[in-house]
Amino acid sequence: MELIIGTITIVSLLFALGLMTKVHKVNSYFFGALLFLVISLTYFRVYLIAIANWELIDQFNPFLYSYLLLFLPLLYFYVNRVLNIETRKFLHLLPFFAHFAFQLLRFTPLSESDAFHFSANLFKFIFLAQAILYGFLLIRSLNQNATRIENQYSNLAGLKLNWMKSILFAIFSCGFIWGISWIIFLISSYKVIELGFLHVFVLLILFFLYNGMYTQRPVIDLIEHEKEEKATQARISLADLSDKIERESLYRDPELNLKKLAEHLSIPMRELSQVINREGETNFHSYINSFRVAQVKKDLRDPSKDQWTILALALEAGFNSKSTFNAVFRKHVGMTPIAFKKAENTAENN
């Protein structure tokens, strides 16, 4: 067991150093590297306890709990970097600095033993409060991202971050149960706490980092990167916009987003977004997909396309996946594509 824990410690440290060398390419890697560093410190502490090196543990007493309070803030920073959302970072680090200062300076009339137990209990309550607070903050960030991408992208595959919601729910559930267990003393065995909840907690974070670094499609705020000088150009009405999109079949482009459409029409993205949001009372995603759904409905009624599969018609109309098409079609029409086709055939026969 000591060998496994020691190996995890070294590997986590190497990952942290490796990511630090790539920070200039991807900003989120900086917070990923810091998370790996905290993981390395955590397992180093577990390793010292596993080999019963109490002398060295005593020397690390000021750091014994404090650095664990960096887990959730760093995870929050990492997610917001992936989503391109700015945060005020120093405020989120105050619990860590406050607890660390208490550990280091011991500004308390309590005895050494009582001060240690007070510090440990203080950590438990802070960690539990963090699990609740950052659970809420991350849900808010993900909802903010969902609203933003629906206003800027027509196809959301790889951008909706459902995997992130699922893993974050598991991480914070684990952290919350971990904190509750500490506080009400449901778990008294050190090994159960450290090697049970800790392993699950860390593995979830590692899986989260892997998905964010290697499988996640970049989430870019298109409007934020628009040049300011374009903001004074002429307006376009929703009717003219719809006419141009339909006449030129612009919706058939599966990669169509707010930026591409704005460049094609030579109008600023902010203005285009406002026309769709205010006049159309909808978002960019629903607006463009309404043309695609209308095209699929038209093709399903066309006898010359009876040999086409429904998926082929969907891809031809601009959808980029079967699951996205089915969900959007059902939302706009109120029934599945197959049910719609059957209803149309029944109506024709009657």
Side-chain angles (χ1 to χ4, degrees):
M1 180 61 72
E2 290 85 352
L3 180 61
I4 294 174
I5 296 172
T7 301
I8 295 174
T9 302
I10 295 172
V11 170
S12 298
L13 183 59
L14 291 175
F15 266 110
L17 295 174
L19 288 177
M20 279 296 186
T21 64
K22 298 181 179 180
V23 168
H24 65 285
K25 295 181 180 179
V26 184
N27 289 336
S28 61
Y29 281 9
F30 174 72
F31 298 111
L34 291 181
L35 273 168
F36 272 112
L37 182 60
V38 173
I39 290 171
S40 180
L41 287 171
T42 301
Y43 276 94
F44 178 63
R45 172 172 166 261
V46 174
Y47 176 75
L48 292 179
I49 294 174
I51 64 174
N53 192 332
W54 303 111
E55 182 179 348
L56 195 54
I57 291 172
D58 288 339
Q59 294 178 14
F60 276 88
N61 254 346
F63 309 93
L64 200 55
Y65 291 106
S66 299
Y67 66 84
L68 291 173
L69 296 176
L70 292 173
F71 258 126
L72 299 180
L74 289 176
L75 186 64
Y76 177 65
F77 298 157
Y78 174 76
V79 170
N80 281 346
R81 271 293 82 211
V82 171
L83 301 181
N84 282 296
I85 297 175
E86 291 298 325
T87 56
R88 294 182 178 180
K89 299 176 179 60
F90 179 75
L91 291 176
H92 295 273
L93 299 178
L94 283 179
F96 161 73
F97 286 120
H99 191 271
F100 178 73
F102 178 84
Q103 288 275 89
L104 192 63
L105 302 176
R106 298 287 196 214
F107 287 134
T108 173
L110 302 175
S111 66
E112 183 70 19
S113 176
D114 289 340
F116 174 80
H117 288 297
F118 176 80
S119 176
N121 289 328
L122 178 63
F123 162 79
K124 296 170 187 177
F125 281 101
I126 294 176
F127 188 84
L128 181 59
Q130 279 189 331
I132 297 171
L133 173 64
Y134 285 102
F136 168 77
L137 290 177
L138 283 165
I139 289 173
R140 188 181 68 174
S141 292
L142 290 170
N143 288 339
Q144 181 181 339
N145 175 70
T147 300
R148 182 178 60 184
I149 62 174
E150 286 179 352
N151 280 321
Q152 299 182 17
Y153 293 86
S154 62
N155 278 316
L156 306 183
L159 293 173
K160 294 195 74 172
L161 306 177
N162 290 328
W163 68 268
M164 188 178 284
K165 292 179 182 178
S166 300
I167 301 176
L168 284 174
F169 177 79
I171 289 173
F172 282 95
S173 296
C174 180
F176 184 78
I177 296 171
W178 191 4
I180 287 290
S181 300
W182 272 335
I183 289 174
I184 62 178
F185 305 105
L186 286 177
I187 299 177
S188 58
S189 168
Y190 175 84
K191 287 187 176 181
V192 171
I193 295 176
E194 291 296 335
L195 303 183
F197 283 111
L198 179 61
H199 286 346
V200 174
F201 189 73
V202 169
L203 284 173
L204 286 169
I205 289 179
L206 291 176
F207 183 60
F208 185 89
L209 290 173
Y210 173 81
N211 273 277
M213 293 175 186
Y214 298 107
T215 67
Q216 175 57 44
R217 178 180 168 190
V219 180
I220 301 172
D221 190 328
L222 302 175
I223 293 179
E224 185 179 321
H225 292 82
E226 183 179 30
K227 294 181 180 179
E228 291 295 328
E229 58 265 26
K230 290 185 178 181
T232 58
Q233 296 184 17
R235 284 182 56 82
I236 185 173
S237 70
L238 184 67
D240 291 339
L241 175 62
S242 298
D243 179 66
K244 194 169 185 66
I245 290 173
E246 190 165 10
R247 186 159 28 87
E248 299 182 19
S249 297
L250 299 177
Y251 55 86
R252 290 185 184 273
D253 178 6
E255 299 300 320
L256 184 66
N257 57 36
L258 191 70
K259 181 180 180 181
K260 290 182 73 172
L261 183 59
E263 288 176 348
H264 181 81
L265 300 174
S266 299
I267 60 176
M269 283 187 283
R270 293 181 189 277
E271 180 182 311
L272 179 58
S273 182
Q274 287 175 359
V275 170
I276 295 171
N277 295 159
R278 294 177 183 176
E279 294 187 33
E281 297 182 345
T282 187
N283 56 54
F284 182 80
H285 174 254
S286 293
Y287 177 67
I288 296 300
N289 280 324
S290 66
F291 292 97
R292 292 170 176 164
V293 169
Q295 182 63 52
V296 173
K297 288 169 64 179
K298 179 181 177 182
D299 290 340
L300 287 172
R301 296 189 184 103
D302 187 351
S304 66
K305 294 189 176 181
D306 283 345
Q307 301 303 314
W308 287 52
T309 65
I310 293 178
L311 178 59
L313 294 176
L315 296 176
E316 181 70 13
F319 290 100
N320 64 354
S321 73
K322 182 179 180 180
S323 59
T324 299
F325 164 64
N326 286 332
V328 170
F329 192 94
R330 191 182 188 100
K331 179 181 178 181
H332 281 262
V333 183
M335 63 179 74
T336 65
I338 294 176
F340 176 82
K341 186 173 178 63
K342 287 181 178 178
E344 289 296 311
N345 291 337
T346 302
E348 286 180 8
N349 293 333
N350 292 336

